[in-house]
Amino acid sequence: MFDQIKEFASGFFVTGDPLIYGADVSILLVTAAIIFTLTYFKKWRWLWREWLTSVDHKKIGIMYILAAFLMMFRGGVDALLMRAQLAIPGADFLQPDHYNEVFTTHGVIMILFMAMPFMFGLFNIIVPLQIGARDVAYPILNSLSFWLFFAGAMLFNLSFVIGGSPDAGWLAYPPYSELMYNPGVGQDFYIWGIQISGIGSLMTGINFLVTILKMRAPGMKLMKMPLFPWSVLSSCIAIIFSFPILTATLALLFLDRYAGAHFFTLDGGGNPMMYINLIWMWGHPEVYIIVLPAFGIFSEIVSTFSRKKLFGYQSMVYAMIIISVLSFLVWAHHFFTMGSGAGVNTFFALSTMLIAIPTGVKVFNWLFTMFRGRITVKTPMLWTIGFIPCFIVGGLTGVLLSVAPADFQFHNSYFLIAHFHQVIIGGVIFGYFAGLYYWWPKMFGFTLNEHIGKWAFWFWNIGFYACFMPQYVLGLMGMTRRVVSYGWDKGWWPLNFVSTIGAALMGIAFVLQVWQIIHGVKHYRKNLDTTGDPWDGRTLEWSIPSPAPHYNFAVLPQVEELDDWWEKKQRGVHKQLNNIAEEKLEPIHMPKNSGMPIIMAGCWFLAGFGFVFHWLWLTIPGLAGVAICMLAHSFNYDTDYYIPVKEIKETEAALRKVTIS
Amino acid sequence: MAHVDGTHPVEENHGSLKSYTIGYLFSIVLTIIPIAIILGGWLHGTAKAVVLMLLGVLQFIVQLFFFMHLREEKKPRYNLISLILGLVILVVIVAGSMWIMLYNMVET
Ligand code: HEM
Ligand SMILES: [Cu+2]
C-alpha cells in the first residue's frame, strides 16, 4: 500500500530541484496564510458575496488586473531565471530541460495569462463607463469569462509542481509537442490551460462587441464614440475570428496525443507544418488583439494631457479597423524559412509591410495631437511619451523582418526576440500601464504617488533599452533564440551581461510599482479624488464620482458630440456634481450576483485536470458539473432587481459628498 | 443587461408561416438529393464532389434567408456585415492554407 502511494507520488509531484521545493513551500504557505486571514477576520462571506460571485464589470475588471499582476510576477521570475543563466558563458544554473520549460511557460504566461487578462481588465472597467452604459451586455457571461480564464491559468501554473511543465515553446510546434517526443503531461497542461481560458476570451470578445454596438448612451453615434471603445471593438473583431482557430488547432493536437490521431505527426499522413500554419493564423492576429487596445489608451491619454481634440479622429478609427482585418492576411511571415515558394513569401512580405502604413498614420496623429498642445506630464502621459520612440524602433525592425530574404538571416535569432519584446513591452505593456495609471482614480477613488511612479517609469525604460538593444546586435552576430548556454569563444558575453542587468532593472521597476500601489492604499485618505475628474478629462467616465457607483450613471447621459464631457464643461452646461437632484431619478434595473460562473469554471478545472492525467473518473464528473451548471442557469429566472430611487440618492450623496434632497 | 433593459428594440419580425414552409421544403429537397447521390451511386469523381459541395452551399444560403432572417434585419446590418467578414476570413484561411501547403510540396 505504502509503496503504491510512494510510486504514484513520485510520478505525480515534481521533485529533485530546489526551485520546485521552494515553490511547493511557498504555495502551501500562501494558501495557508490566505485561509487563515479570511477565517480570522471572518471575511469568507464578504469575499463570496462582494467579489467571487459579483457580476459588476468594475469588480471583474479589478480581479482581472490583480490576476494579471500575479502572472506578471510569475512570468517575470521566469525571465530573470533565463537572463541569469545567460549572463555568463557556460553557466549551469539551469539545466537544458529546465531551461526549455522556463522559456515555454514564460511565453505562454506573458501573452495569454498576463497581457490578455490585463487587457480584459481595462475593457471591463472602462468600456461601459466610456460609452455611458450601466453594465456589459451579458453580465453573467462576463463573470464566467473571468473565472474560465482564472481556472485555465491556475491549471497551467500547476504543471510546475504537479506532473511537469510543458517545454515545446509558447506555440508548441509539433513534432516535438507530439506524444512520441513529449510523453509527459506538460503538453496536456498546456492544451487544457489554454483551451479553458480561450473559451473565456472568445466570450469576452462577443460580450464587448455587443456591448459597444448595442449599449451606447443615447445620442452616441459610432463616430462620436471615444477611441478606446473603438480600439476594443476592433480587437474584439479579431478575437471573434481568431480564437476559434486556436481552439480547433489545439483540439487537433489533443486528438493526436490523446486518441492516436495523426493530424500533425510525421507518419500516418500527418503534417506538422499544417500546425505551424494554423497556429499562426491565430498567433498573428493575437499580437494585434493585444496592441490595438493600447493604441486606444494612448489616444485617450494624448488628447487629455495635451488638452486638445485628437488629431485625425476618423483616420484613427479607420486605421484600427484596417489593422484588425489586415492582420488576418500576413500569418505566413512567421515561417518564411519553412520552404514555401517564392510566390507565397512575396505575397506575405508585401501584406506585412502594408500594415506599417495605418500604424504609421496613428503615430503621426499622436504627434500632431501633442504639437502645440498644452502638455502636462503626469505618469500616464509619461508612459505615452516613452512608448512612442520605443514603438517606432520596434515597428521599423518589424519591417526589416518582413523582408523575406533578410528574414533568412534574422529568423529565430535574438534579433527577433528583441523586435517582439520591443513591440510587446514598449507597445502593449507600456500602454496598459498608462491606462492603469490613467484610470486608477476612477477605479479606486484615490490617486497614486507620482514620485514613485516616475522612478518606476525610468527603471522600466532604462532597463528595457539595456536589456533589448544588445539583443539586436547579438542576433546579427548569430546568437539564436532558445540557447541554454554558449562558450567564451563566441564573444557574446559582454552584451549578454548588459542585457541581464537591464532585465534586473525592470525587475526593480516592477517592485517599485507594487510598492507604489501599497503606498497608495496606505495613504489613500491624503490622495482622495473628490472631484471624480482628476485629470480634467474629456470622456463620460469622468462625469461620475470616483470610484464609480455600482450602477455607474444615476441618470444616463445624453450625448451630443465627441468628447462630450469636455465640450459640456467648456460651455458650462455640464451637470454640477450637486445638481444631480434636479434630474428625475428612476429605479435602476441591475443584474443579480451569481455563483454559477465560479462553480462552472471549477468544474472545467477538474475536467481539464482529468484530461491531463487521463483520469476519466475525474473528467466525467467535471464535464457533468459543467452541464448541470448550464441547465440550472437556464432555469433561473431570478436574475435581476431594481435599485430604488432612495438608495440611488443615498449612494450619490455619499459618493459626491453632498446632500441631495 | 441589454436583454432586460428598455433599450432593447421592439421584437423584430420573425418570418411568416409561408416563408418557413418554403424554407423547410427547400432544405428537405437539398438534403434528399445528396443522400440519393451517395446511396444511388449516381455520380463519380470530381462531378460528385462539386455537386455535393454546391448543394451544401445552397443549403447554407436557404438556412440564412429562411431561418436566420438575413433579409429582414433592420438598418445597421451587423449580421450581414459579420457574415461577410466571416466568409472572407474563412476563404482566406482555407484557400491560403491550401496555397501555402501545396507550394511547400514543390522541391526547393
Ligand atoms: C504591433 C505589435 C507587434 C507585436 C505584439 C509583435 C509580436 C511578435 C511576436 C510575438 C513574434 C514572435 C514570433 C516567434 O515566436 O517566432 C513576432 C515575429 C515577427 N514580427 Fe512582430 N509584432 C508586432 C508588430 C510587427 C510589425 C509592425 C511587423 C512588420 C511590419 C512585424 C513583423 C514580424 C515578423 C516578420 C516576425 C517573424 C520573424 C521571424 O520569425 O523571423 N511585427 N512578432
Ligand atoms: Cu506576425
Side-chain angles (χ1 to χ4, degrees), chain A residues 128-150:
Chain A
L129 298 182
Q130 273 198 333
I131 63 174
R134 291 206 168 114
D135 207 329
V136 295
Y138 312 111
I140 292 183
L141 195 71
N142 195 27
S143 159
L144 182 60
S145 295
F146 170 75
W147 287 111
L148 285 177
F149 143 71
F150 194 74

Side-chain angles (χ1 to χ4, degrees), chain A residues 5 56 63 103 107 274 278 386 456 530 582 613:
Chain A
I5 294 178
D56 181 346
M63 290 192 288
F103 70 63
M274 192 63 198
L278 287 174
T530 46
E582 293 169 15
F613 282 94

Side-chain angles (χ1 to χ4, degrees), chain A residues 111 170 173 280 284 287-288 290-291 295 333-334 336 352-353 356 391 395 398-399 401-402 407 410-412 416 419-420 423-424 428 481-482:
Chain A
I111 304 250
W170 77 281
Y173 282 6
W280 278 114
H284 191 82
V287 302
Y288 289 94
I290 55 181
V291 84
F295 290 169
H333 65 213
H334 293 274
F336 279 152
T352 306
M353 291 173 202
F391 191 74
V399 178
L401 282 164
S402 72
D407 188 62
F410 304 138
H411 187 74
N412 271 348
L416 166 84
H419 153 69
F420 77 72
V423 274
I424 292 186
V428 177
R481 70 196 292 198
R482 299 175 178 171

